[in-house]
């Protein structure tokens, strides 16, 4: 199952095991089950701490990683390869006593949770976001024996996916009931399970001393800004909903200078690790609500916490633009999707549409065409806006139809899931209906700046207006990345603008702060 190089690497990792780990495999004669059994045998051969047994499980094929001394259980229904192979390795290490990279107070909070928690996490192996959720729940399961998690490959267990009407991943169920859809962190999970957790966290944040630089946002711009500020010796904090932003949902990155090719999830992990190398106070799972000026800037968070700082650097990025047509919100997660890489495998063999004819739209259509039966691309303009090379590739595929001058007017469904869409031909005014199982929206981005409407100068597109130092219309408030009026929205540009704005904040501080000796005089 595993090639020689991968076995060598895995054997090195497994040397970190400190206690026995059991692999319990449920397999039949199907090809996937035999692949899983082969994988388990390969892992078993690489460490004396690992033992392998076979049994008939609830799902086949499946493999459970058990710590017999602590009675913890982490399961994988399907073959945990692709992006989920890392989840399997971490499950082995954590079950075998390798330290879990969570704060001590978070580990104790997980260990103290009362009750039984049986999580089921439906994923697609091509999903960039899914491993983060799987690994978060797996860490919790490795800490507390009353918590279990099973990763379920939705493409392999289609009956369950259809029965539960799952049309977006990651989809998490808790004790048989829907728990969450999309990205969710350990702290967010704890906030949902422990009703007092968010309040305690908000109180702790409010008690922090004022920062020199407070960065709002954890994407490429925010990470770059925090690193540059910390390197200047400034007291630096980051408030972020989650690390990575849009980058976490990006599959292939091939224009990041000096790195020939990487993936969004890897870049996000590297960004976060780099920030952790510096003395930066990271306050995650927090969203900004309002900003007030005064002797110190005061940022109020949705949690109720208040953070004070001498300067503020806004790097809240952007999000996918919605169609804003009837049915879109009703069927979001039930056929309306925004990440073809994550949710595409759930539509295997079905007919789908892509809304938008730019690069992201045509790239999505090409990717989906390899999975689904047929793709219809609807573009509002008279022609596609994607690069010529992408247009040629799409035209060469036999299952992509492109309709221009198409204005989507409604998403239709049966009350549970999407069954089609209506559009108007802008050239003739005629209305048409297309029968579909899924709709992937790829029509650009909206800056996450609505909360600043009455605070800072925004342009007509809702972007924060900045000068060549990244400073906004309020002295001492800076901004960087996709939330600003930058000419181009690219990862490398966001990082550069984060550095620029951070240096701008440093320059502002040294020009406006009164030295301590002068204050004493």
């Amino acid at each position: 199952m595993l090639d020689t190089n991968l076995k060598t690497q895995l054997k090195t990792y497994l040397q970190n095991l400190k206690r026995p780990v059991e692999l319990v495999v449920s397999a039949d004669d199907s090809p996937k089950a035999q692949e899983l059994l082969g994988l388990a045998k390969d892992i078993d051969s690489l460490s004396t701490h690992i033992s392998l047994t076979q049994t008939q499980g609830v799902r086949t094929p499946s493999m459970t990683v058990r710590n017999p001394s602590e009675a913890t259980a982490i399961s994988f229904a399907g073959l945990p390869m692709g992006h989920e192979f890392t989840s399997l390795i971490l499950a082995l290490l954590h079950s075998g006593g390798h330290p879990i990279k969570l704060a001590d107070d978070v580990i104790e909070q997980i260990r103290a949770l009362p009750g039984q928690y049986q999580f089921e996490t439906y994923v697609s192996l091509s999903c960039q976001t899914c491993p983060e959720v799987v690994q978060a729940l797996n860490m919790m399961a490795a800490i507390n024996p009353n918590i279990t998690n099973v990763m379920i490959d939705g493409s392999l267990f289609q009956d369950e996916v259809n029965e539960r009407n799952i049309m977006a991943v990651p989809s998490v169920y808790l004790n048989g009931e829907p728990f969450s859809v999309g990205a969710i962190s350990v702290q967010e999970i704890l906030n949902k399970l422990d009703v007092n957790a968010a309040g305690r966290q908000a109180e702790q944040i409010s008690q922090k001393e004022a920062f020199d630089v407070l960065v709002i946002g954890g994407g490429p711009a925010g990470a770059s800004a925090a690193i540059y500020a910390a390197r200047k010796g400034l007291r630096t904090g980051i408030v972020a909903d989650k690390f990575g932003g849009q980058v976490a949902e990006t599959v292939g990155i091939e224009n990041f200078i000096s790195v020939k090719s990487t993936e969004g999830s890897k870049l996000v992990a590297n960004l976060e690790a780099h920030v952790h190398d510096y003395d930066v106070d990271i306050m995650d799972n927090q969203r900004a609500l309002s900003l007030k000026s005064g002797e110190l800037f005061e940022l109020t968070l949705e949690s109720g916490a208040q953070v004070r700082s001498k300067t503020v650097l806004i790097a809240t990025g952007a999000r996918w633009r919605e169609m804003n047509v009837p049915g879109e919100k009703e069927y979001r997660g039930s056929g309306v999707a925004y990440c073809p890489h994550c949710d595409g495998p759930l539509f295997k063999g079905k007919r789908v549409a892509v809304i938008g004819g730019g690069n992201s739209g045509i790239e999505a259509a090409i990717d989906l065409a390899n999975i689904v039966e047929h793709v219809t691309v609807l573009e509002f303009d008279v022609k596609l806006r994607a690069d010529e090379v992408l247009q040629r590739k799409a035209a060469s595929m036999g299952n992509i139809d492109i309709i221009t001058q198409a204005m989507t007017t409604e998403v239709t469904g049966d009350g549970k899931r999407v069954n089609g869409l209506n559009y108007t031909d802008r050239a003739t005014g005629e209305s048409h209906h297309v029968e579909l199982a899924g709709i992937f929206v790829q029509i650009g981005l909206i800056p996450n700046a609505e909360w600043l409407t009455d605070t800072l100068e925004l342009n007509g597109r809702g972007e924060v207006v900045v000068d060549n130092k990244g400073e906004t219309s309020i002295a001492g408030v800076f901004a960087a990345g996709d939330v600003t009026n930058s000419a181009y929205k690219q990862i490398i540009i966001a990082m550069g603008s984060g550095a620029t704005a951070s240096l701008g904040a440093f320059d502002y501080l040294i020009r406006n702060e009164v030295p301590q000796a002068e204050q004493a005089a």
Side-chain angles (χ1 to χ4, degrees):
M1 177 61 194
L2 299 177
D3 62 34
T4 303
N5 290 335
L6 202 51
K7 282 184 179 180
T8 301
Q9 294 176 33
L10 186 53
K11 187 173 183 177
T12 301
Y13 286 129
L14 295 179
Q15 290 175 358
N16 292 302
L17 296 180
K18 297 178 176 60
R19 58 194 180 201
V21 175
E22 294 179 353
L23 297 182
V24 183
V25 176
S26 176
D28 53 22
D29 294 331
S30 66
K32 284 294 182 185
Q34 290 303 304
E35 284 186 63
L36 181 64
L37 183 58
L39 173 62
K41 288 179 178 178
D42 282 348
I43 294 171
D44 179 38
S45 70
L46 298 176
S47 174
T48 56
H49 283 292
I50 295 176
S51 61
L52 172 63
T53 59
Q54 289 184 247
T55 187
Q56 187 62 44
V58 175
R59 295 179 179 88
T60 299
S62 68
M63 175 168 62
T64 298
V65 180
R66 295 188 68 250
N67 170 1
S69 62
E70 300 291 337
T72 62
I74 299 167
S75 300
F76 299 86
L79 188 63
M81 298 301 288
H83 294 305
E84 293 297 348
F85 187 60
T86 301
S87 301
L88 172 61
I89 295 173
L90 289 172
L92 291 165
L93 293 175
H94 294 156
S95 298
H98 189 64
I100 294 175
K101 291 184 178 180
L102 291 174
D104 291 342
D105 59 334
V106 174
I107 291 175
E108 289 307 312
Q109 187 181 359
I110 294 169
R111 189 173 283 126
L113 284 173
Q116 298 284 330
Y117 304 91
Q118 295 180 333
F119 288 99
E120 299 166 294
T121 308
Y122 291 86
V123 308
S124 66
L125 298 183
S126 60
C127 171
Q128 296 278 318
T129 305
C130 294
E132 299 175 14
V133 178
V134 171
Q135 290 162 27
L137 290 166
N138 284 355
M139 285 191 290
M140 295 178 66
I143 293 167
N144 187 334
N146 294 321
I147 301 172
T148 61
N149 182 48
V150 53
M151 178 220 81
I152 304 168
D153 180 358
S155 65
L156 199 58
F157 293 87
Q158 281 285 327
D159 289 345
E160 289 188 41
V161 167
N162 293 332
E163 183 180 348
R164 285 180 159 172
N165 196 33
I166 294 169
M167 304 188 78
V169 291
S171 284
V172 181
Y173 278 68
L174 172 58
N175 297 336
E177 298 295 327
F179 180 77
S180 69
V181 178
I184 188 169
S185 66
V186 169
Q187 193 59 59
E188 287 173 307
I189 295 166
L190 286 172
N191 288 347
K192 294 187 73 170
L193 300 180
D194 182 353
V195 294
N196 297 318
R200 292 196 302 270
Q201 188 179 23
E203 185 176 351
Q204 291 171 357
I205 290 173
S206 296
Q207 292 174 353
K208 294 179 183 290
E209 294 181 11
F211 293 96
D212 294 321
V213 177
L214 178 63
V215 179
I216 307 170
S224 174
I227 290 168
Y228 266 74
R231 285 178 61 86
K232 290 293 187 182
L234 301 175
R235 176 170 161 75
T236 306
I238 288 184
V239 170
D241 183 17
K242 63 175 182 177
F243 255 89
Q246 298 172 57
V247 179
E249 299 176 2
T250 304
V251 177
I253 299 172
E254 297 179 347
N255 58 351
F256 191 75
I257 310 305
S258 83
V259 179
K260 290 184 178 180
S261 178
T262 188
E263 297 175 351
S265 57
K266 291 181 180 179
L267 182 56
V268 169
N270 289 338
L271 282 175
E272 191 166 5
H274 198 172
V275 173
H276 277 284
D277 283 342
Y278 293 90
D279 187 14
V280 176
D281 190 337
I282 300 173
M283 296 157 276
D284 56 5
N285 305 302
Q286 300 291 330
R287 293 185 180 183
L289 182 63
S290 63
L291 180 66
K292 287 174 57 178
S293 300
E295 185 177 346
L296 291 170
F297 293 103
E298 187 174 270
L299 177 70
T300 300
L301 306 178
E302 288 186 0
S303 65
Q306 293 182 328
V307 195
R308 294 164 297 130
S309 184
K310 297 173 184 175
T311 63
V312 172
L313 200 155
I314 299 159
T316 46
R319 64 187 183 278
W320 291 115
R321 185 181 297 276
E322 298 179 351
M323 296 182 292
N324 292 317
V325 300
E328 180 180 18
K329 283 185 168 56
E330 179 184 355
Y331 290 106
R332 183 167 188 165
S334 298
V336 174
Y338 301 84
C339 179
H341 308 294
C342 300
D343 300 331
L346 299 177
F347 296 86
K348 183 178 180 180
K350 299 177 181 179
R351 300 177 72 87
V352 302
V354 172
I355 311 300
N359 283 346
S360 60
I362 300 304
E363 286 173 354
I366 292 168
D367 288 343
L368 289 166
N370 293 311
I371 302 170
V372 304
E373 177 188 339
H374 184 270
V375 181
T376 301
V377 177
L378 286 86
E379 165 58 41
F380 184 85
D381 206 348
V382 296
K383 62 180 180 179
L384 298 181
R385 293 167 287 109
D387 293 342
E388 184 63 31
V389 64
L390 294 175
Q391 294 190 43
R392 287 199 302 269
K393 176 63 176 176
S396 71
M397 305 184 78
N399 60 341
I400 298 178
D401 286 340
I402 295 172
I403 304 173
T404 57
Q405 299 194 75
M407 181 174 68
T408 305
T409 56
E410 183 181 10
V411 173
T412 64
D414 60 8
K416 293 183 177 180
R417 60 179 68 191
V418 165
N419 62 20
L421 65 76
N422 297 327
Y423 76 91
T424 298
D425 185 327
R426 296 176 56 235
T428 65
E430 295 177 352
S431 296
H432 301 273
H433 177 76
V434 184
E435 293 186 358
L436 303 160
I439 300 168
F440 291 85
V441 184
Q442 302 282 290
I443 54 175
L445 301 168
I446 296 177
N448 295 317
E450 295 94 336
W451 62 285
L452 297 165
T453 300
D454 298 324
T455 307
L456 300 176
E457 180 188 354
L458 307 180
N459 66 13
R461 292 184 294 275
E463 300 166 328
V464 178
V465 177
V466 296
D467 64 15
N468 60 358
K469 290 186 177 181
E471 194 164 26
T472 70
S473 57
I474 295 179
V477 178
F478 298 78
D482 287 2
V483 75
T484 71
N485 60 332
S486 61
Y488 304 103
K489 314 301 183 186
Q490 297 286 314
I491 296 168
I492 198 163
I493 292 172
M495 285 184 174
S497 68
T500 298
S502 189
L503 293 173
F506 174 71
D507 183 68
Y508 172 86
L509 286 169
I510 62 176
R511 292 176 184 278
N512 289 277
E513 282 197 313
V514 179
Q516 292 295 322
E518 186 176 329
Q519 287 182 355

